[in-house]
């Protein structure tokens, strides 16, 4: 396995503004869908690779200050336990959701989480997550792979 350097860059790529507009437009359309609607409108701006869960453990250190992985382990942000397949804004016992998240109407998938992690405030304007995003697609894929294993 090759070693990768993990950092916490602020998303500043030349195409970030265009990507953010694409993601935000997709998120707004998704917000109007019913929770039972097929997830065909999920943002797929970047093809999500398989990721390396062990490398994702390191990337998760960026998230750890606000999010836990055990049921009910809420911090500033909600627990990420059983995140995939859960409707946004519905972590049991967490009551600090922004209006944007409380009104959103979609289910967390790897593709949606990838779009969210790219630029949370562009994906869903008005949310309170104080995080600029992860610019590196490999870091996002690794984090998502880790969350799939660690949050179940």
């Amino acid at each position: 396995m090759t070693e990768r350097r993990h950092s916490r860059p602020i998303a500043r790529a030349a195409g970030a503004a265009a990507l953010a507009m694409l993601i935000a437009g997709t998120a707004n359309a998704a917000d109007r869908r019913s929770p039972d609607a097929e997830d065909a409108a999920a943002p797929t701006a970047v093809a999500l690779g398989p990721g390396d869960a062990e490398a994702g453990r390191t990337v998760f250190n960026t998230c750890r200050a606000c999010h836990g992985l055990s049921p009910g382990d809420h911090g500033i942000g909600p627990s990420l336990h059983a995140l995939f397949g859960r409707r946004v804004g519905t972590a049991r016992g967490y009551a600090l959701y922004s209006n944007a998240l409380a009104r959103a109407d979609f289910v967390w998938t790897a593709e949606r989480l990838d779009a969210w992690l790219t630029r949370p405030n562009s994906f869903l304007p008005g949310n309170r997550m104080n995080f600029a995003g992860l610019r590196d697609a490999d870091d996002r894929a690794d984090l998502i792979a880790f969350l799939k294993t660690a949050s179940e």
Side-chain angles (χ1 to χ4, degrees):
M1 175 175 7
T2 60
E3 184 177 338
R4 278 200 304 250
R5 188 176 136 213
H6 292 282
S7 60
R8 297 177 210 168
I10 296 174
R12 289 185 217 148
L19 176 62
M21 289 185 341
L22 169 69
I23 292 170
T26 305
N28 291 336
D31 291 348
R32 293 186 294 273
R33 293 176 34 233
S34 74
D36 298 325
E38 187 175 341
D39 206 20
T44 55
V46 177
L48 188 61
D52 176 348
E54 278 306 308
R57 179 184 307 276
T58 302
V59 180
F60 181 72
N61 287 331
T62 303
C63 314
R64 188 176 305 280
C66 299
H67 297 280
L69 293 172
S70 300
D73 185 14
H74 307 301
I76 294 169
S79 168
L80 301 179
H81 176 76
L83 176 67
F84 297 96
R86 181 172 79 203
R87 187 171 176 262
V88 66
T90 61
R92 186 179 307 245
Y94 185 76
L96 300 176
Y97 285 109
S98 64
N99 288 335
L101 279 165
R103 287 190 313 254
D105 189 15
F106 62 88
V107 182
W108 287 115
T109 63
E111 293 78 16
R112 286 197 188 273
L113 188 57
D114 182 56
W116 169 270
L117 291 169
T118 301
R119 289 192 58 142
N121 288 320
S122 294
F123 178 79
L124 190 61
N127 79 76
R128 287 187 229 152
M129 188 159 144
N130 189 18
F131 179 66
L134 288 172
R135 178 175 50 192
D136 188 275
D138 288 334
D139 283 351
R140 292 192 311 272
D142 293 346
L143 177 58
I144 291 167
F146 172 71
L147 288 173
K148 282 181 179 179
T149 61
S151 70
E152 296 305 318

